[in-house]
Amino acid sequence: MRALLTLLRTGRGWRAEALAATRLPRGASEKTGPRRAMALYRTEERGQPHSQDYRLFFKNVTGHYISPFHDIPLKVDSKEENGIPTKKARNDEHENLFNMVVEVPRWTNAKMEIATKEPLNPIKQDVKDGKLRYVANIFPHKGYIWNYGALPQALCYSRHTPTSGLHIHCVLSLQHSFSQTWEDPHRKDNSTNCCGDNDPIDVCEIGSKVFSRGEVIHVKILGILALIDQGETDWKLIAINVNDPEASKFHDIGDVKKFKPGYLEATLNWFRFYKVPEGKPENQFAFNGEFKNKAFALEVIKSTHECWKALLMKKCDGGAINCTNVQVCDSPFHCTQEEARSLVESVSFSSNKESNKEDQVWHFLGK
């Protein structure tokens, strides 16, 4: 009973707003209004937040551990998510609906990220020189100015080339459209002539709601910015939560300029200066800092997805990237549900027994 009261006081466990998200507005039918939840993902905290031990693991609707990097579908209209058949969107934009894993809630400073080198890729706080990383406040903003995260099953993959001194970003043939993305460092990006950064492709969600770390939301892509970070291409997708009250007004990057004047300029400045307080130079951009439109962004997603698929099928060398997955059955890195649980349970944290208690939260998609 004491544990139950603790959950109720802290708001943890089942979320009331998640249950409310499944209810249709009064007078609405199933064919109207925003897309609602189709599946659940649960997050499980281990270790203390703001410590190097902290990890946020993911489970699917059946309670099995999964990788948020490899096991959550990229496209919202995938045939199924976690074994649950899904319905296609009933509008013309269904090809532009993607799942986004929220790593950093808006206005926070801790640099949280999917741990690409760890089994099942939990979210953790980035560490540099033995210290936890936090982004500085770039005047007049507090922390990240969007909900910041990544597309699942996506990666910018890069390698060093002796002749150019640069890493090269993957652009494979766009003949096939898969359901995942990853920026590949072994292949050249014809548009930027720079590398990938060996990380999932980043997303800046510009809607009105502040999401929680680990939430998986439905977004539509509006455009993209090509940040060049120390010689590597670090794509930044601009997107909006499909259930945002104003989402119906946003269809392409020009709508951001129209309905959120100054937001793109603030985004450009934020990325330009956010490492300067660490003593680093300003970041540079391809295309003179121009935001490319939705069509361009979708081509980048297709390209980086193909690189991810090659990685998961062991057709290229991912180096230290951990490809362990539970649901990509034809991947040589596939593991069983029991093996996934053993991987999580084998993780050893230095925090005490009280802080190691599982803290589970269910997230409805499409909130």
Side-chain angles (χ1 to χ4, degrees), residues 5 17 95 104 128 173 278 341:
L5 291 175
E17 65 266 27
E95 290 296 329
V104 186
K128 186 171 184 180
S173 135
E278 301 175 7
R341 173 169 286 278

Side-chain angles (χ1 to χ4, degrees), residues 120-358:
L120 297 183
N121 316 113
I123 290 178
K124 70 170 186 176
Q125 188 165 354
D126 190 25
V127 175
K128 186 171 184 180
D129 298 329
K131 296 181 180 179
L132 296 170
R133 292 188 66 187
Y134 296 86
V135 299
N137 295 321
I138 304 302
F139 182 84
H141 308 294
K142 168 68 172 68
Y144 288 76
I145 64 175
W146 343 257
N147 293 298
Y148 193 70
L151 296 186
Q153 301 176 337
L155 187 63
C156 249
Y157 177 47
S158 88
R159 67 179 172 87
H160 188 74
T161 55
T163 54
S164 66
L166 293 176
H167 291 73
I168 302 301
H169 171 252
C170 169
V171 172
L172 292 177
S173 135
L174 300 180
Q175 304 174 33
H176 305 288
S177 176
F178 301 102
S179 63
Q180 296 91 359
T181 57
W182 167 58
E183 293 176 272
D184 180 349
H186 287 88
R187 297 178 184 261
K188 181 179 180 180
D189 185 321
N190 293 332
S191 57
T192 67
N193 199 34
C194 286
C195 64
D197 62 359
N198 250 19
D199 282 325
I201 192 166
D202 298 320
V203 186
C204 303
E205 194 279 319
I206 66 171
S208 58
K209 181 175 181 178
V210 176
F211 289 99
S212 300
R213 181 186 310 136
E215 287 198 69
V216 182
I217 62 173
H218 293 167
V219 298
K220 56 182 178 179
I221 305 300
L222 305 175
I224 194 168
L225 176 69
L227 170 67
I228 306 300
D229 186 356
Q230 298 181 1
E232 297 177 341
T233 303
D234 191 1
W235 294 107
K236 306 297 181 183
L237 291 164
I238 307 299
I240 189 167
N241 168 28
V242 72
N243 285 322
D244 188 88
E246 295 188 323
S248 61
K249 300 193 299 186
F250 291 85
H251 305 285
D252 213 321
I253 198 66
D255 296 318
V256 183
K257 299 175 183 177
K258 180 178 179 181
F259 297 110
K260 288 183 178 286
Y263 206 164
L264 294 183
E265 290 80 359
T267 295
L268 192 69
N269 285 333
W270 195 97
F271 281 120
R272 186 187 304 279
F273 297 117
Y274 83 102
K275 289 187 177 181
V276 171
E278 301 175 7
K280 295 183 178 180
E282 297 178 10
N283 280 322
Q284 303 299 313
F285 305 90
F287 316 117
N288 294 318
E290 175 191 356
F291 286 82
K292 293 297 185 178
N293 63 13
K294 176 180 70 176
F296 189 102
L298 294 178
E299 289 301 302
V300 172
I301 294 173
K302 288 180 183 179
S303 170
T304 54
H305 156 69
E306 295 197 10
C307 298
W308 174 89
K309 185 174 178 66
L311 178 73
L312 263 286
M313 294 301 115
K314 213 170 182 178
K315 294 181 179 179
C316 64
D317 179 15
I321 295 173
N322 194 297
C323 300
T324 303
N325 66 84
V326 180
Q327 297 187 179
V328 188
C329 297
D330 53 345
S331 168
F333 302 101
H334 177 265
C335 73
T336 65
Q337 296 166 353
E338 292 74 19
E339 289 169 335
R341 173 169 286 278
S342 295
L343 285 171
V344 175
E345 297 300 335
S346 68
V347 176
S348 175
F349 297 112
S350 61
S351 49
N352 60 37
K353 185 180 295 185
E354 181 66 23
S355 67
N356 270 333
K357 289 183 178 179
E358 293 183 359

Side-chain angles (χ1 to χ4, degrees), residues 24 29-36 38 76-77 86-95 97:
L24 290 172
S29 68
E30 292 184 355
K31 295 184 178 181
T32 62
R35 291 171 56 80
R36 293 302 181 187
M38 296 181 296
V76 169
D77 61 353
T86 62
K87 298 178 180 179
K88 288 189 175 182
R90 297 182 178 91
N91 55 53
D92 294 336
E93 292 190 327
H94 72 270
E95 290 296 329
L97 293 182

